[in-house]
Amino acid sequence: MSDAYASIQSRIAAAAIAAGRPPEAVTLVAVSKQQPWEHIAPVLAAGQRVFGENRVQEAMGRWRDDRDQVELRLIGPLQTNKAAEAVAFFDVIESLDREKLARVLAAEIARQGKTPRLYVQVNIGEEPQKAGVAPAETDGFLRLCRDLGLPIEGLMCIPPADEAPEPYFTALAALAARNGLEKLSMGMSDDFEAAIACGATSVRVGSAIFGRR
Ligand SMILES: *Cc1c(COP(=O)(O)O)cnc(C)c1O
């Protein structure tokens, strides 16, 4: 099995235990986007079953033959014209970030009779170049999702690069708590241990497992 994969698994377990939580409380989402299959196959063979992808078409091509044995999460921006394919293909969509997309997803879910688990992406650092609902608008956006019948499982964020991430992780945890949401998708290769300390229930780790993209 891949040494890098084993090492990330043990670091996740150690961070969970240090935070007073069982290792199973944190799901590893192995981010396979842009990786050659030779990098993914050993990790799949080692038993990893949850993978993250950021493009709908790319994910459909990569996972066509192995779709049934894995849970696939869309973690990248979703255009409304790809919403039908995303609902059909993914188990989880973590990038619900605007009203128009919420309305299109609600319509597709009704049409297909299939409901992916959904996370609302929050632009926790209020960065103009980043996707996500503004923190101050998150409560209202979650109400809208509820009114549309969309079951929201949790919140997702990508904090600003080159800053200590803890205040952003803590802010996302507070937003989730006050909206009664238990799931927090936060933490990547460089900061997943900090995210677990702040309450992450899933971490999205790519390059630290598979190598540089
Ligand atoms: C690419 C990506 C990741 C993984 O990033 P690494 O730094 O390679 O771990 C996590 N989350 C999102 C949203 C991504 O686009």
Side-chain angles (χ1 to χ4, degrees):
M1 109 148 102
S2 145
D3 289 348
Y5 174 57
S7 148
I8 294 299
Q9 282 184 307
S10 52
R11 285 171 60 191
I12 289 171
I17 288 164
R21 300 154 65 204
E24 317 82 74
V26 182
T27 299
L28 169 59
V29 179
V31 177
S32 46
K33 67 180 186 196
Q34 294 166 35
Q35 295 288 348
W37 189 253
E38 313 85 89
H39 292 183
I40 299 167
V43 173
L44 183 64
Q48 177 66 25
R49 287 295 174 269
V50 184
F51 292 86
E53 290 282 348
N54 71 335
R55 288 171 190 270
V56 178
Q57 307 299 336
E58 183 188 321
M60 289 172 68
R62 177 172 292 118
W63 289 103
R64 192 176 35 229
D65 296 341
D66 299 276
R67 179 68 192 90
D68 292 347
Q69 52 170 331
V70 291
E71 174 182 308
L72 292 180
R73 299 190 175 206
L74 180 64
I75 60 171
L78 178 56
Q79 295 170 286
T80 49
N81 64 6
K82 301 267 170 60
E85 282 170 309
V87 167
F89 189 72
F90 286 95
D91 300 291
V92 183
I93 296 174
E94 298 203 5
S95 47
L96 171 50
D97 61 356
R98 60 200 190 280
E99 176 169 348
K100 185 176 177 208
L101 181 59
R103 293 189 183 281
V104 171
L105 285 175
E108 270 311 316
I109 285 167
R111 197 175 67 80
Q112 297 186 27
K114 171 177 186 285
T115 312
R117 290 147 54 205
L118 299 171
Y119 284 65
V120 168
Q121 182 172 354
V122 179
N123 186 356
I124 199 69
E126 302 182 70
E127 297 172 278
Q129 80 281 14
K130 271 205 185 125
V133 178
E137 287 164 16
T138 301
D139 297 355
F141 186 74
L142 288 167
R143 269 195 303 278
L144 169 81
C145 292
R146 206 160 30 241
D147 291 347
L148 290 169
L150 291 176
I152 303 300
E153 181 167 298
L155 301 182
M156 181 271 232
C157 78
I158 308 168
D162 309 322
E163 271 186 63
E166 287 86 351
Y168 298 103
F169 292 149
T170 304
L172 193 76
L175 274 179
R178 78 168 184 236
N179 284 285
L181 297 172
E182 285 171 10
K183 300 287 186 178
L184 290 168
S185 170
M186 55 189 196
M188 310 185 1
S189 288
D190 290 335
D191 58 12
F192 68 87
E193 284 149 323
I196 291 168
C198 297
T201 57
S202 59
V203 293
R204 309 177 307 267
V205 180
S207 45
I209 296 174
F210 298 112
R212 286 181 53 186
R213 288 179 291 273

